Amino acid sequence: MKLLILLALVGAAVAVPRGDGRIIGGYECTPHSQPWMVSLNYGYHFCGGVLINEQWVLSVAQCWYNPYSMQLILGDHNNRIFEGTEQLMKTNTIIWHPNYNYQTMDYDIMLIKLFHPVKMTSAVRPISLPTSCPYEGMSCTVPGWGTIRTDTSFLPFRLQCIDVPVVSEQECEKSYPGMLTRRMMCAGYPEGGKDACGGDAGSPLVCSGEVHGLASWGQGCALPGYPGVYVKVCEYLYWIRDVMASNP
C-alpha cells in the first residue's frame, strides 16, 4: 500500500504519518496479551487497529485505502504462520471522522464495523474506552508489527510491544510547536530510543487497561526530543458512541 507521506513543516519538525511500520526499542509481546490488537490487511499487514466491542474496531483515518478488499485479522501473534487463534473478518462499514485533515493530521480517526461479530476467546477480546483523559507519566504499552531497527528493514513475524509514558502537554508542544491540537497527545522518552514509529498507524496506546491513544504521526523514528504523537481517544468518546448508535 502506498500511504501518503505528508510533510507539515514548522521549524525543523516534520509531521509524518505512522504508516511505515516500526516498533523501535521494544520486545516480543507475550502471545495474546494484547487480545484487542487488530491487523488491517490486504494480504499483508499495513496498519493497526483496536477492537472496542464485538463488532467495532477503532483505527486512524490515514489507514483508509480500499474498504472492499480490506480484511481484518484478530487473534494473531506470529503473522507468518497459522496458530489456530486467528479470526479473519470482512468490513461492513468504514466511517472516517468528517473533520479529518490529512495535512495537519487532526481528527485522524475512523471506525470500522465488522460484517459479523467476533467470537470472544482468550486471544480475541475488546478493550475498554477511556473513562478519563491520560495524565503526564501514565505508563502505557503500544503493540505492533514492523521493523525493530532504524538502520534496516528487518521485520519480525511476532507482535512487538514497547512501554512508554505519557508526555506532558507542555513538553509535547515544545517538540512540535504549532502543530498540535487538543485532540493529540504525546508518549515516549526525551532521550528517544523507544517509539511506535509506527507500531503501525492505528495501533493502540494501552494505559491501565484502556485505549487512550492511536499511533498517528511524529518526527523521525525514536529520535531524542521527538516523542510519538497519538490520537487522544478521550476527546472522541461522544463521536464514537454516536457513530455506533447510528449504525446498529
Side-chain angles (χ1 to χ4, degrees), residues 144-194:
W145 287 278
T147 183
I148 58 175
R149 295 175 61 182
T150 58
D151 59 349
T152 182
S153 294
F154 177 75
L155 299 173
F157 300 151
R158 299 174 179 87
L159 188 65
Q160 302 291 301
C161 285
I162 55 166
D163 299 326
V164 289
V166 172
V167 175
S168 70
E169 292 181 8
Q170 293 78 9
E171 290 302 313
C172 191
E173 179 63 29
K174 285 181 183 178
S175 298
Y176 302 104
M179 300 177 72
L180 303 173
T181 72
R182 66 182 179 85
R183 291 163 292 277
M184 301 175 186
M185 59 179 287
C186 288
Y189 294 94
E191 67 272 20
K194 295 184 178 183

mmCIF file of all heavy atoms in Angstrom, residues 144-194:
data_model
loop_
_atom_site.group_PDB
_atom_site.id
_atom_site.type_symbol
_atom_site.label_atom_id
_atom_site.label_comp_id
_atom_site.label_asym_id
_atom_site.label_seq_id
_atom_site.Cartn_x
_atom_site.Cartn_y
_atom_site.Cartn_z
ATOM 1 N N GLY A 144 2.644 -3.725 18.048
ATOM 2 C CA GLY A 144 2.666 -3.525 16.603
ATOM 3 C C GLY A 144 3.613 -4.481 15.902
ATOM 4 O O GLY A 144 4.532 -5.019 16.509
ATOM 5 N N TRP A 145 3.388 -4.690 14.620
ATOM 6 C CA TRP A 145 4.305 -5.462 13.783
ATOM 7 C C TRP A 145 5.110 -4.472 12.956
ATOM 8 O O TRP A 145 4.578 -3.490 12.440
ATOM 9 C CB TRP A 145 3.519 -6.380 12.843
ATOM 10 C CG TRP A 145 2.889 -7.556 13.501
ATOM 11 C CD1 TRP A 145 3.501 -8.746 13.810
ATOM 12 C CD2 TRP A 145 1.531 -7.702 13.923
ATOM 13 N NE1 TRP A 145 2.599 -9.607 14.400
ATOM 14 C CE2 TRP A 145 1.382 -8.994 14.473
ATOM 15 C CE3 TRP A 145 0.410 -6.861 13.885
ATOM 16 C CZ2 TRP A 145 0.181 -9.467 14.978
ATOM 17 C CZ3 TRP A 145 -0.788 -7.319 14.387
ATOM 18 C CH2 TRP A 145 -0.901 -8.608 14.921
ATOM 19 N N GLY A 146 6.388 -4.737 12.758
ATOM 20 C CA GLY A 146 7.194 -3.849 11.932
ATOM 21 C C GLY A 146 8.659 -3.949 12.281
ATOM 22 O O GLY A 146 9.045 -4.596 13.252
ATOM 23 N N THR A 147 9.516 -3.294 11.491
ATOM 24 C CA THR A 147 10.948 -3.386 11.703
ATOM 25 C C THR A 147 11.319 -2.922 13.105
ATOM 26 O O THR A 147 10.733 -1.981 13.634
ATOM 27 C CB THR A 147 11.740 -2.590 10.654
ATOM 28 O OG1 THR A 147 13.133 -2.771 10.868
ATOM 29 C CG2 THR A 147 11.410 -1.124 10.691
ATOM 30 N N ILE A 148 12.279 -3.587 13.708
ATOM 31 C CA ILE A 148 12.663 -3.264 15.086
ATOM 32 C C ILE A 148 13.982 -2.512 15.162
ATOM 33 O O ILE A 148 14.518 -2.293 16.239
ATOM 34 C CB ILE A 148 12.753 -4.551 15.946
ATOM 35 C CG1 ILE A 148 13.757 -5.546 15.351
ATOM 36 C CG2 ILE A 148 11.376 -5.184 16.090
ATOM 37 C CD1 ILE A 148 13.991 -6.780 16.199
ATOM 38 N N ARG A 149 14.508 -2.092 13.979
ATOM 39 C CA ARG A 149 15.733 -1.303 13.950
ATOM 40 C C ARG A 149 15.565 -0.146 12.987
ATOM 41 O O ARG A 149 14.858 -0.249 11.990
ATOM 42 C CB ARG A 149 16.934 -2.178 13.530
ATOM 43 C CG ARG A 149 17.261 -3.270 14.532
ATOM 44 C CD ARG A 149 18.374 -4.166 14.006
ATOM 45 N NE ARG A 149 19.605 -3.409 13.776
ATOM 46 C CZ ARG A 149 20.716 -3.952 13.275
ATOM 47 N NH1 ARG A 149 20.733 -5.240 12.935
ATOM 48 N NH2 ARG A 149 21.795 -3.214 13.101
ATOM 49 N N THR A 150 16.265 0.956 13.271
ATOM 50 C CA THR A 150 16.161 2.132 12.419
ATOM 51 C C THR A 150 17.069 2.042 11.198
ATOM 52 O O THR A 150 16.889 2.783 10.236
ATOM 53 C CB THR A 150 16.529 3.402 13.204
ATOM 54 O OG1 THR A 150 17.851 3.270 13.729
ATOM 55 C CG2 THR A 150 15.546 3.636 14.336
ATOM 56 N N ASP A 151 18.055 1.144 11.206
ATOM 57 C CA ASP A 151 19.041 1.096 10.121
ATOM 58 C C ASP A 151 18.796 -0.053 9.148
ATOM 59 O O ASP A 151 19.620 -0.326 8.291
ATOM 60 C CB ASP A 151 20.454 0.986 10.697
ATOM 61 C CG ASP A 151 20.644 -0.250 11.575
ATOM 62 O OD1 ASP A 151 19.629 -0.905 11.908
ATOM 63 O OD2 ASP A 151 21.792 -0.550 11.927
ATOM 64 N N THR A 152 17.667 -0.753 9.289
ATOM 65 C CA THR A 152 17.384 -1.864 8.405
ATOM 66 C C THR A 152 15.882 -2.101 8.367
ATOM 67 O O THR A 152 15.144 -1.580 9.199
ATOM 68 C CB THR A 152 18.104 -3.145 8.860
ATOM 69 O OG1 THR A 152 17.833 -4.194 7.920
ATOM 70 C CG2 THR A 152 17.619 -3.587 10.239
ATOM 71 N N SER A 153 15.439 -2.891 7.425
ATOM 72 C CA SER A 153 14.015 -3.218 7.326
ATOM 73 C C SER A 153 13.741 -4.626 7.832
ATOM 74 O O SER A 153 12.951 -5.368 7.269
ATOM 75 C CB SER A 153 13.547 -3.079 5.868
ATOM 76 O OG SER A 153 13.608 -1.740 5.463
ATOM 77 N N PHE A 154 14.420 -5.020 8.900
ATOM 78 C CA PHE A 154 14.186 -6.336 9.481
ATOM 79 C C PHE A 154 12.804 -6.375 10.103
ATOM 80 O O PHE A 154 12.485 -5.617 11.007
ATOM 81 C CB PHE A 154 15.237 -6.652 10.549
ATOM 82 C CG PHE A 154 14.994 -7.973 11.233
ATOM 83 C CD1 PHE A 154 15.277 -9.158 10.576
ATOM 84 C CD2 PHE A 154 14.469 -8.030 12.513
ATOM 85 C CE1 PHE A 154 15.038 -10.374 11.192
ATOM 86 C CE2 PHE A 154 14.229 -9.247 13.130
ATOM 87 C CZ PHE A 154 14.520 -10.419 12.463
ATOM 88 N N LEU A 155 11.965 -7.267 9.596
ATOM 89 C CA LEU A 155 10.576 -7.354 10.039
ATOM 90 C C LEU A 155 10.355 -8.602 10.882
ATOM 91 O O LEU A 155 10.355 -9.709 10.344
ATOM 92 C CB LEU A 155 9.640 -7.377 8.826
ATOM 93 C CG LEU A 155 9.678 -6.145 7.916
ATOM 94 C CD1 LEU A 155 8.840 -6.385 6.671
ATOM 95 C CD2 LEU A 155 9.200 -4.911 8.653
ATOM 96 N N PRO A 156 10.168 -8.452 12.170
ATOM 97 C CA PRO A 156 9.874 -9.621 12.994
ATOM 98 C C PRO A 156 8.470 -10.137 12.691
ATOM 99 O O PRO A 156 7.573 -9.370 12.374
ATOM 100 C CB PRO A 156 9.967 -9.077 14.423
ATOM 101 C CG PRO A 156 9.592 -7.641 14.283
ATOM 102 C CD PRO A 156 10.125 -7.207 12.946
ATOM 103 N N PHE A 157 8.298 -11.436 12.751
ATOM 104 C CA PHE A 157 6.988 -12.020 12.478
ATOM 105 C C PHE A 157 6.060 -11.904 13.679
ATOM 106 O O PHE A 157 4.851 -11.899 13.526
ATOM 107 C CB PHE A 157 7.135 -13.496 12.089
ATOM 108 C CG PHE A 157 7.984 -13.721 10.866
ATOM 109 C CD1 PHE A 157 8.701 -14.896 10.722
ATOM 110 C CD2 PHE A 157 8.067 -12.766 9.872
ATOM 111 C CE1 PHE A 157 9.487 -15.111 9.599
ATOM 112 C CE2 PHE A 157 8.843 -12.963 8.739
ATOM 113 C CZ PHE A 157 9.550 -14.145 8.606
ATOM 114 N N ARG A 158 6.636 -11.831 14.864
ATOM 115 C CA ARG A 158 5.840 -11.843 16.091
ATOM 116 C C ARG A 158 5.530 -10.429 16.567
ATOM 117 O O ARG A 158 6.336 -9.525 16.397
ATOM 118 C CB ARG A 158 6.574 -12.630 17.176
ATOM 119 C CG ARG A 158 6.824 -14.096 16.798
ATOM 120 C CD ARG A 158 7.683 -14.809 17.836
ATOM 121 N NE ARG A 158 7.905 -16.198 17.481
ATOM 122 C CZ ARG A 158 8.891 -16.620 16.693
ATOM 123 N NH1 ARG A 158 9.751 -15.737 16.190
ATOM 124 N NH2 ARG A 158 9.032 -17.906 16.417
ATOM 125 N N LEU A 159 4.360 -10.272 17.174
ATOM 126 C CA LEU A 159 3.917 -8.973 17.651
ATOM 127 C C LEU A 159 4.910 -8.405 18.668
ATOM 128 O O LEU A 159 5.314 -9.082 19.610
ATOM 129 C CB LEU A 159 2.534 -9.111 18.293
ATOM 130 C CG LEU A 159 1.836 -7.812 18.689
ATOM 131 C CD1 LEU A 159 1.499 -6.972 17.475
ATOM 132 C CD2 LEU A 159 0.563 -8.123 19.484
ATOM 133 N N GLN A 160 5.291 -7.151 18.458
ATOM 134 C CA GLN A 160 6.218 -6.459 19.339
ATOM 135 C C GLN A 160 5.482 -5.455 20.218
ATOM 136 O O GLN A 160 4.425 -4.937 19.841
ATOM 137 C CB GLN A 160 7.270 -5.723 18.514
ATOM 138 C CG GLN A 160 8.077 -6.616 17.581
ATOM 139 C CD GLN A 160 9.009 -7.548 18.323
ATOM 140 O OE1 GLN A 160 9.886 -7.105 19.075
ATOM 141 N NE2 GLN A 160 8.835 -8.846 18.121
ATOM 142 N N CYS A 161 6.048 -5.166 21.377
ATOM 143 C CA CYS A 161 5.482 -4.184 22.305
ATOM 144 C C CYS A 161 6.557 -3.195 22.744
ATOM 145 O O CYS A 161 7.744 -3.548 22.815
ATOM 146 C CB CYS A 161 4.929 -4.871 23.553
ATOM 147 S SG CYS A 161 3.362 -5.743 23.356
ATOM 148 N N ILE A 162 6.151 -1.975 23.022
ATOM 149 C CA ILE A 162 7.016 -1.022 23.715
ATOM 150 C C ILE A 162 6.239 -0.438 24.881
ATOM 151 O O ILE A 162 5.010 -0.312 24.834
ATOM 152 C CB ILE A 162 7.516 0.129 22.813
ATOM 153 C CG1 ILE A 162 6.351 0.851 22.145
ATOM 154 C CG2 ILE A 162 8.533 -0.338 21.809
ATOM 155 C CD1 ILE A 162 6.736 2.181 21.530
ATOM 156 N N ASP A 163 6.963 -0.089 25.935
ATOM 157 C CA ASP A 163 6.372 0.568 27.092
ATOM 158 C C ASP A 163 6.853 2.019 27.104
ATOM 159 O O ASP A 163 8.071 2.277 27.118
ATOM 160 C CB ASP A 163 6.794 -0.140 28.383
ATOM 161 C CG ASP A 163 6.328 -1.590 28.414
ATOM 162 O OD1 ASP A 163 5.245 -1.870 27.871
ATOM 163 O OD2 ASP A 163 7.058 -2.439 28.965
ATOM 164 N N VAL A 164 5.920 2.951 27.069
ATOM 165 C CA VAL A 164 6.256 4.375 27.028
ATOM 166 C C VAL A 164 5.338 5.154 27.962
ATOM 167 O O VAL A 164 4.180 4.789 28.152
ATOM 168 C CB VAL A 164 6.131 4.947 25.595
ATOM 169 C CG1 VAL A 164 7.242 4.435 24.698
ATOM 170 C CG2 VAL A 164 4.770 4.625 24.990
ATOM 171 N N PRO A 165 5.832 6.243 28.549
ATOM 172 C CA PRO A 165 4.980 7.083 29.386
ATOM 173 C C PRO A 165 4.317 8.202 28.581
ATOM 174 O O PRO A 165 4.822 8.616 27.536
ATOM 175 C CB PRO A 165 5.974 7.674 30.389
ATOM 176 C CG PRO A 165 7.252 7.791 29.597
ATOM 177 C CD PRO A 165 7.257 6.623 28.633
ATOM 178 N N VAL A 166 3.197 8.688 29.088
ATOM 179 C CA VAL A 166 2.549 9.857 28.501
ATOM 180 C C VAL A 166 3.398 11.091 28.802
ATOM 181 O O VAL A 166 3.894 11.272 29.912
ATOM 182 C CB VAL A 166 1.123 10.031 29.072
ATOM 183 C CG1 VAL A 166 0.502 11.354 28.613
ATOM 184 C CG2 VAL A 166 0.246 8.851 28.659
ATOM 185 N N VAL A 167 3.578 11.927 27.804
ATOM 186 C CA VAL A 167 4.366 13.161 27.919
ATOM 187 C C VAL A 167 3.419 14.321 28.225
ATOM 188 O O VAL A 167 2.284 14.356 27.735
ATOM 189 C CB VAL A 167 5.139 13.417 26.599
ATOM 190 C CG1 VAL A 167 5.869 14.752 26.627
ATOM 191 C CG2 VAL A 167 6.117 12.272 26.338
ATOM 192 N N SER A 168 3.885 15.273 29.010
ATOM 193 C CA SER A 168 3.042 16.426 29.354
ATOM 194 C C SER A 168 2.707 17.235 28.108
ATOM 195 O O SER A 168 3.433 17.224 27.104
ATOM 196 C CB SER A 168 3.756 17.330 30.361
ATOM 197 O OG SER A 168 4.847 17.998 29.752
ATOM 198 N N GLU A 169 1.605 17.965 28.164
ATOM 199 C CA GLU A 169 1.200 18.803 27.036
ATOM 200 C C GLU A 169 2.265 19.844 26.725
ATOM 201 O O GLU A 169 2.522 20.162 25.556
ATOM 202 C CB GLU A 169 -0.130 19.492 27.353
ATOM 203 C CG GLU A 169 -1.318 18.544 27.432
ATOM 204 C CD GLU A 169 -2.619 19.274 27.722
ATOM 205 O OE1 GLU A 169 -2.614 20.528 27.700
ATOM 206 O OE2 GLU A 169 -3.645 18.598 27.962
ATOM 207 N N GLN A 170 2.914 20.381 27.775
ATOM 208 C CA GLN A 170 3.929 21.411 27.579
ATOM 209 C C GLN A 170 5.147 20.860 26.834
ATOM 210 O O GLN A 170 5.666 21.482 25.897
ATOM 211 C CB GLN A 170 4.368 21.990 28.934
ATOM 212 C CG GLN A 170 3.296 22.776 29.666
ATOM 213 C CD GLN A 170 2.270 21.887 30.373
ATOM 214 O OE1 GLN A 170 2.447 20.669 30.463
ATOM 215 N NE2 GLN A 170 1.209 22.504 30.880
ATOM 216 N N GLU A 171 5.615 19.664 27.227
ATOM 217 C CA GLU A 171 6.767 19.067 26.562
ATOM 218 C C GLU A 171 6.426 18.628 25.141
ATOM 219 O O GLU A 171 7.250 18.726 24.229
ATOM 220 C CB GLU A 171 7.287 17.877 27.377
ATOM 221 C CG GLU A 171 7.945 18.253 28.684
ATOM 222 C CD GLU A 171 9.116 19.205 28.491
ATOM 223 O OE1 GLU A 171 9.954 18.941 27.593
ATOM 224 O OE2 GLU A 171 9.177 20.219 29.217
ATOM 225 N N CYS A 172 5.211 18.154 24.953
ATOM 226 C CA CYS A 172 4.758 17.751 23.625
ATOM 227 C C CYS A 172 4.761 18.964 22.688
ATOM 228 O O CYS A 172 5.231 18.887 21.540
ATOM 229 C CB CYS A 172 3.360 17.149 23.738
ATOM 230 S SG CYS A 172 2.763 16.308 22.254
ATOM 231 N N GLU A 173 4.267 20.091 23.174
ATOM 232 C CA GLU A 173 4.230 21.313 22.372
ATOM 233 C C GLU A 173 5.636 21.819 22.057
ATOM 234 O O GLU A 173 5.894 22.329 20.955
ATOM 235 C CB GLU A 173 3.430 22.393 23.112
ATOM 236 C CG GLU A 173 3.337 23.728 22.399
ATOM 237 C CD GLU A 173 2.610 23.687 21.069
ATOM 238 O OE1 GLU A 173 1.719 22.829 20.902
ATOM 239 O OE2 GLU A 173 2.936 24.496 20.185
ATOM 240 N N LYS A 174 6.573 21.663 22.987
ATOM 241 C CA LYS A 174 7.960 22.071 22.729
ATOM 242 C C LYS A 174 8.556 21.282 21.574
ATOM 243 O O LYS A 174 9.351 21.803 20.788
ATOM 244 C CB LYS A 174 8.808 21.867 23.988
ATOM 245 C CG LYS A 174 8.596 22.897 25.078
ATOM 246 C CD LYS A 174 9.508 22.607 26.261
ATOM 247 C CE LYS A 174 9.264 23.589 27.402
ATOM 248 N NZ LYS A 174 10.114 23.279 28.582
ATOM 249 N N SER A 175 8.191 20.013 21.480
ATOM 250 C CA SER A 175 8.714 19.161 20.410
ATOM 251 C C SER A 175 8.088 19.488 19.060
ATOM 252 O O SER A 175 8.746 19.378 18.019
ATOM 253 C CB SER A 175 8.466 17.684 20.743
ATOM 254 O OG SER A 175 9.139 17.299 21.921
ATOM 255 N N TYR A 176 6.814 19.873 19.091
ATOM 256 C CA TYR A 176 6.073 20.121 17.847
ATOM 257 C C TYR A 176 5.355 21.464 17.931
ATOM 258 O O TYR A 176 4.131 21.518 17.955
ATOM 259 C CB TYR A 176 5.068 18.988 17.607
ATOM 260 C CG TYR A 176 5.709 17.622 17.532
ATOM 261 C CD1 TYR A 176 5.624 16.726 18.605
ATOM 262 C CD2 TYR A 176 6.382 17.218 16.383
ATOM 263 C CE1 TYR A 176 6.195 15.464 18.531
ATOM 264 C CE2 TYR A 176 6.976 15.963 16.307
ATOM 265 C CZ TYR A 176 6.874 15.096 17.379
ATOM 266 O OH TYR A 176 7.453 13.857 17.299
ATOM 267 N N PRO A 177 6.111 22.563 17.973
ATOM 268 C CA PRO A 177 5.472 23.874 18.166
ATOM 269 C C PRO A 177 4.503 24.228 17.042
ATOM 270 O O PRO A 177 4.834 24.149 15.860
ATOM 271 C CB PRO A 177 6.660 24.845 18.193
ATOM 272 C CG PRO A 177 7.779 24.120 17.506
ATOM 273 C CD PRO A 177 7.569 22.671 17.826
ATOM 274 N N GLY A 178 3.283 24.568 17.429
ATOM 275 C CA GLY A 178 2.277 24.992 16.475
ATOM 276 C C GLY A 178 1.643 23.888 15.657
ATOM 277 O O GLY A 178 0.817 24.160 14.784
ATOM 278 N N MET A 179 1.984 22.622 15.935
ATOM 279 C CA MET A 179 1.491 21.511 15.113
ATOM 280 C C MET A 179 0.435 20.661 15.804
ATOM 281 O O MET A 179 -0.148 19.783 15.188
ATOM 282 C CB MET A 179 2.665 20.609 14.709
ATOM 283 C CG MET A 179 3.740 21.309 13.918
ATOM 284 S SD MET A 179 5.154 20.243 13.533
ATOM 285 C CE MET A 179 4.426 19.169 12.301
ATOM 286 N N LEU A 180 0.198 20.913 17.084
ATOM 287 C CA LEU A 180 -0.689 20.058 17.858
ATOM 288 C C LEU A 180 -2.052 20.700 18.072
ATOM 289 O O LEU A 180 -2.183 21.918 18.073
ATOM 290 C CB LEU A 180 -0.063 19.751 19.217
ATOM 291 C CG LEU A 180 1.331 19.105 19.188
ATOM 292 C CD1 LEU A 180 1.883 19.012 20.591
ATOM 293 C CD2 LEU A 180 1.264 17.742 18.539
ATOM 294 N N THR A 181 -3.047 19.845 18.262
ATOM 295 C CA THR A 181 -4.369 20.301 18.683
ATOM 296 C C THR A 181 -4.712 19.581 19.987
ATOM 297 O O THR A 181 -3.997 18.658 20.409
ATOM 298 C CB THR A 181 -5.448 19.986 17.626
ATOM 299 O OG1 THR A 181 -5.702 18.565 17.626
ATOM 300 C CG2 THR A 181 -5.006 20.430 16.235
ATOM 301 N N ARG A 182 -5.812 19.954 20.586
ATOM 302 C CA ARG A 182 -6.191 19.317 21.850
ATOM 303 C C ARG A 182 -6.599 17.865 21.656
ATOM 304 O O ARG A 182 -6.763 17.124 22.628
ATOM 305 C CB ARG A 182 -7.320 20.084 22.536
ATOM 306 C CG ARG A 182 -8.648 20.079 21.790
ATOM 307 C CD ARG A 182 -9.693 20.895 22.525
ATOM 308 N NE ARG A 182 -10.974 20.944 21.837
ATOM 309 C CZ ARG A 182 -11.924 20.026 21.936
ATOM 310 N NH1 ARG A 182 -11.731 18.960 22.690
ATOM 311 N NH2 ARG A 182 -13.062 20.168 21.282
ATOM 312 N N ARG A 183 -6.748 17.446 20.399
ATOM 313 C CA ARG A 183 -7.110 16.061 20.098
ATOM 314 C C ARG A 183 -5.890 15.169 19.890
ATOM 315 O O ARG A 183 -5.999 14.027 19.459
ATOM 316 C CB ARG A 183 -8.017 16.033 18.855
ATOM 317 C CG ARG A 183 -9.393 16.626 19.121
ATOM 318 C CD ARG A 183 -10.122 16.972 17.846
ATOM 319 N NE ARG A 183 -9.482 18.082 17.136
ATOM 320 C CZ ARG A 183 -9.681 19.370 17.418
ATOM 321 N NH1 ARG A 183 -10.493 19.722 18.399
ATOM 322 N NH2 ARG A 183 -9.069 20.298 16.724
ATOM 323 N N MET A 184 -4.693 15.699 20.188
ATOM 324 C CA MET A 184 -3.453 14.954 20.052
ATOM 325 C C MET A 184 -2.743 14.876 21.394
ATOM 326 O O MET A 184 -2.929 15.731 22.264
ATOM 327 C CB MET A 184 -2.533 15.635 19.029
ATOM 328 C CG MET A 184 -3.120 15.779 17.643
ATOM 329 S SD MET A 184 -2.020 16.732 16.551
ATOM 330 C CE MET A 184 -3.045 16.895 15.079
ATOM 331 N N MET A 185 -1.908 13.861 21.550
ATOM 332 C CA MET A 185 -1.118 13.690 22.762
ATOM 333 C C MET A 185 0.207 13.033 22.384
ATOM 334 O O MET A 185 0.345 12.470 21.289
ATOM 335 C CB MET A 185 -1.853 12.805 23.772
ATOM 336 C CG MET A 185 -2.185 11.417 23.235
ATOM 337 S SD MET A 185 -3.023 10.342 24.415
ATOM 338 C CE MET A 185 -1.671 9.959 25.530
ATOM 339 N N CYS A 186 1.179 13.131 23.272
ATOM 340 C CA CYS A 186 2.497 12.527 23.027
ATOM 341 C C CYS A 186 2.794 11.448 24.058
ATOM 342 O O CYS A 186 2.346 11.521 25.206
ATOM 343 C CB CYS A 186 3.603 13.578 23.096
ATOM 344 S SG CYS A 186 3.656 14.738 21.722
ATOM 345 N N ALA A 187 3.579 10.459 23.631
ATOM 346 C CA ALA A 187 4.086 9.436 24.546
ATOM 347 C C ALA A 187 5.475 9.039 24.073
ATOM 348 O O ALA A 187 5.728 8.914 22.879
ATOM 349 C CB ALA A 187 3.164 8.224 24.576
ATOM 350 N N GLY A 188 6.383 8.849 25.026
ATOM 351 C CA GLY A 188 7.748 8.488 24.680
ATOM 352 C C GLY A 188 8.726 8.990 25.721
ATOM 353 O O GLY A 188 8.326 9.450 26.801
ATOM 354 N N TYR A 189 10.022 8.918 25.395
ATOM 355 C CA TYR A 189 11.089 9.322 26.295
ATOM 356 C C TYR A 189 11.865 10.493 25.704
ATOM 357 O O TYR A 189 12.098 10.530 24.487
ATOM 358 C CB TYR A 189 12.041 8.152 26.538
ATOM 359 C CG TYR A 189 11.408 7.006 27.289
ATOM 360 C CD1 TYR A 189 10.833 5.937 26.599
ATOM 361 C CD2 TYR A 189 11.372 6.998 28.678
ATOM 362 C CE1 TYR A 189 10.248 4.892 27.284
ATOM 363 C CE2 TYR A 189 10.782 5.951 29.374
ATOM 364 C CZ TYR A 189 10.229 4.900 28.669
ATOM 365 O OH TYR A 189 9.637 3.865 29.344
ATOM 366 N N PRO A 190 12.306 11.453 26.535
ATOM 367 C CA PRO A 190 13.049 12.596 25.996
ATOM 368 C C PRO A 190 14.344 12.191 25.314
ATOM 369 O O PRO A 190 14.781 12.840 24.365
ATOM 370 C CB PRO A 190 13.311 13.467 27.239
ATOM 371 C CG PRO A 190 13.075 12.574 28.416
ATOM 372 C CD PRO A 190 12.080 11.566 27.991
ATOM 373 N N GLU A 191 14.955 11.094 25.771
ATOM 374 C CA GLU A 191 16.203 10.631 25.160
ATOM 375 C C GLU A 191 15.974 9.790 23.918
ATOM 376 O O GLU A 191 16.925 9.366 23.251
ATOM 377 C CB GLU A 191 17.025 9.829 26.176
ATOM 378 C CG GLU A 191 16.405 8.511 26.607
ATOM 379 C CD GLU A 191 15.455 8.616 27.790
ATOM 380 O OE1 GLU A 191 14.961 9.735 28.057
ATOM 381 O OE2 GLU A 191 15.210 7.581 28.442
ATOM 382 N N GLY A 192 14.711 9.530 23.572
ATOM 383 C CA GLY A 192 14.408 8.718 22.401
ATOM 384 C C GLY A 192 14.697 7.247 22.653
ATOM 385 O O GLY A 192 14.745 6.780 23.786
ATOM 386 N N GLY A 193 14.880 6.495 21.575
ATOM 387 C CA GLY A 193 15.249 5.087 21.687
ATOM 388 C C GLY A 193 14.092 4.119 21.694
ATOM 389 O O GLY A 193 14.258 2.948 21.371
ATOM 390 N N LYS A 194 12.902 4.584 22.047
ATOM 391 C CA LYS A 194 11.704 3.735 22.036
ATOM 392 C C LYS A 194 10.577 4.532 21.400
ATOM 393 O O LYS A 194 10.299 5.650 21.803
ATOM 394 C CB LYS A 194 11.305 3.310 23.452
ATOM 395 C CG LYS A 194 12.311 2.414 24.151
ATOM 396 C CD LYS A 194 11.793 1.951 25.502
ATOM 397 C CE LYS A 194 12.796 1.014 26.170
ATOM 398 N NZ LYS A 194 12.288 0.485 27.458
#
